Amino acid sequence: MTSDNYNPELDENDDELYEHHRFVADKGQQPLRVDKYLMNYIENATRNKIQNAAKDGNIHVNEVPVKSNYKVKPGDVVQVMFEHPPYEFLLTPENIPLDIVHEDDALLVVNKPAGMVVHPGHGNYSGTLINALVYHFDNLPQNSSERPGLVHRIDKDTSGLLVVAKTEQAMTKLSKQFFDKSSEREYVAIVWGNVEEDEGTVEGNIGRHPKNRLQNTVYLGDDEDKGKPAVTHYKVIERLGYVTLVSCKLETGRTHQIRVHMKHIGHTLFNDERYGGERILKGTTFSKYKQFVENCFKVLPRQALHAKTLGFKHPVSGEWMSFDTPIPDDMQQCIEKWRNYAKNQKEFID
């Protein structure tokens, strides 16, 4: 507001709206009702909630409130606005225990359990790693997205190692290492199918899936500018019949990178619901086999991915630091089941 009569005390009574979501419609966007459009973009949203938001004037297109039947066109800027700030910016300290592998004055390394969201976001406003960090540590530095301490992140249902910065200097230097690809990250995954090559590299730009906006996909050739460069190096650890245990080293750190790249080469992660790995993708049609796989899903009710090792130069001393954490029980039990199954199958064939 720019006015000679401006009174800052009136701010508290202003009906200020805060942007919670913002999307720009692609050039090839076909006319589509805004409520249906937002359903494709916002995780856990229902059409009823979106329609109610539109009714209350909270859905804006090109900065103008619209009804839920507005047809989104190419280039439209679609915003979801509310009178309260996004919950992810309301960081409530929560006394959640942390598995701290290493801590010093500059940083800490945390072993995140599967099921814990790294930072608050749509549908997950409490119980996150950030909620725990702001409880246990004061004055953590903000990253470029205003998230305290976070240098990088891993998915909710991926377990494993994360480094957290405790000072501005550590945040700057660690973030630069991840940007320059000089840090080292190794993941262990169970993937569907028998991976033919003992080791290999997957290269392919990763970007949003054009139809399912909750997924990412690989873009190649003329479409590669729709994604960002991504490189994953994989190596077979153990062949377990219809699944394979692999090690994946990241050269880049795109969202869902391992999940997307392994699916791209025909080896979707075991029980990765978002990318179709919760179905039986390899194996027999026998009911006993189906029951065996269902039992494996129960033992490991998430994608089979663990951030096992993490390496980087200490931001103060310059010393190379390397951390390793065991494969968690749920994943280990699943591996044992497949190991026994593969052994019995081999004996039967022999």
Side-chain angles (χ1 to χ4, degrees), residues 6 19 22 24 39 41 81 102 106 113 131 223 240 272 284 310 312 344:
Y6 172 59
E19 181 180 273
R22 178 189 182 89
V24 180
M39 285 278 292
Y41 282 79
M81 313 286 287
H102 168 85
N131 294 116
D223 290 331
L240 301 166
D272 187 348
T284 73
L310 178 64
F312 52 85
N344 292 334

Side-chain angles (χ1 to χ4, degrees), residues 37-297:
Y37 177 85
L38 288 172
M39 285 278 292
N40 293 331
Y41 282 79
I42 303 176
E43 192 172 1
N44 300 328
T46 64
R47 196 167 175 190
N48 188 47
K49 282 183 180 176
I50 293 170
Q51 288 176 341
N52 285 337
K55 204 179 290 181
D56 293 338
N58 299 127
I59 308 296
H60 293 200
V61 176
N62 304 327
E63 301 187 353
V64 177
V66 296
K67 295 182 179 178
S68 55
N69 64 355
Y70 173 87
K71 297 284 181 69
V72 177
K73 301 181 292 296
D76 276 351
V77 178
V78 183
Q79 296 168 286
V80 181
M81 313 286 287
F82 290 108
E83 289 179 7
H84 58 83
Y87 290 115
E88 54 262 45
F89 296 114
L90 305 176
L91 299 175
T92 307
E94 294 180 42
N95 187 7
I96 302 166
L98 292 172
D99 180 3
I100 298 174
V101 176
H102 168 85
E103 183 182 358
D104 59 42
D105 290 341
L107 59 87
L108 62 143
V109 176
V110 177
N111 185 20
K112 184 190 84 68
M116 176 184 267
V117 176
V118 170
H119 57 76
H122 186 79
N124 298 287
Y125 302 118
S126 64
T128 75
L129 178 64
I130 290 281
N131 294 116
L133 288 172
V134 296
Y135 177 89
H136 292 289
F137 300 96
D138 294 327
N139 304 316
L140 288 172
Q142 304 270 347
N143 68 9
S144 58
S145 301
E146 299 183 5
R147 288 167 177 154
L150 278 199
V151 177
H152 61 126
R153 59 178 288 273
I154 55 179
D155 298 327
K156 173 186 175 182
D157 289 325
T158 299
S159 53
L161 295 171
L162 285 160
V163 61
V164 176
K166 291 172 69 177
T167 67
E168 292 288 352
Q169 180 192 24
M171 175 67 75
T172 301
K173 291 196 171 182
L174 288 169
S175 297
K176 187 173 189 306
Q177 288 183 57
F178 279 79
F179 181 79
D180 292 342
K181 307 170 191 171
S182 59
S183 61
E184 288 186 1
R185 286 168 288 170
E186 180 192 10
Y187 291 69
V188 173
I190 306 170
V191 300
W192 278 108
N194 183 19
V195 179
E196 285 186 24
E197 302 294 331
D198 286 340
E199 56 186 273
T201 297
V202 188
E203 294 186 63
N205 288 15
I206 289 178
R208 288 282 187 193
H209 194 288
K211 293 182 179 175
N212 185 343
R213 306 300 289 191
L214 302 181
Q215 287 186 8
N216 282 347
T217 192
V218 172
Y219 287 100
L220 299 170
D222 293 341
D223 290 331
E224 68 180 10
D225 61 342
K226 294 179 182 176
K228 294 180 180 177
V231 181
T232 305
H233 305 285
Y234 68 85
K235 185 181 288 188
V236 171
I237 298 173
E238 188 175 355
R239 300 180 189 280
L240 301 166
Y242 298 122
V243 301
T244 306
L245 183 64
V246 296
S247 157
C248 294
K249 287 192 174 179
L250 294 183
E251 199 171 297
T252 52
R254 307 302 174 204
T255 302
H256 300 173
Q257 180 170 320
I258 292 171
R259 300 164 71 182
V260 173
H261 268 174
M262 295 312 290
K263 178 174 183 174
H264 178 65
I265 62 169
H267 297 289
T268 303
L269 264 61
F270 186 78
N271 209 11
D272 187 348
E273 185 177 359
R274 183 165 294 190
Y275 288 92
E278 85 290 8
R279 304 190 305 273
I280 295 176
L281 299 181
K282 297 288 180 181
T284 73
T285 57
F286 297 133
S287 56
K288 277 190 176 179
Y289 175 73
K290 184 180 178 186
Q291 187 57 55
F292 164 75
V293 175
E294 290 296 333
N295 288 338
C296 289
F297 286 158

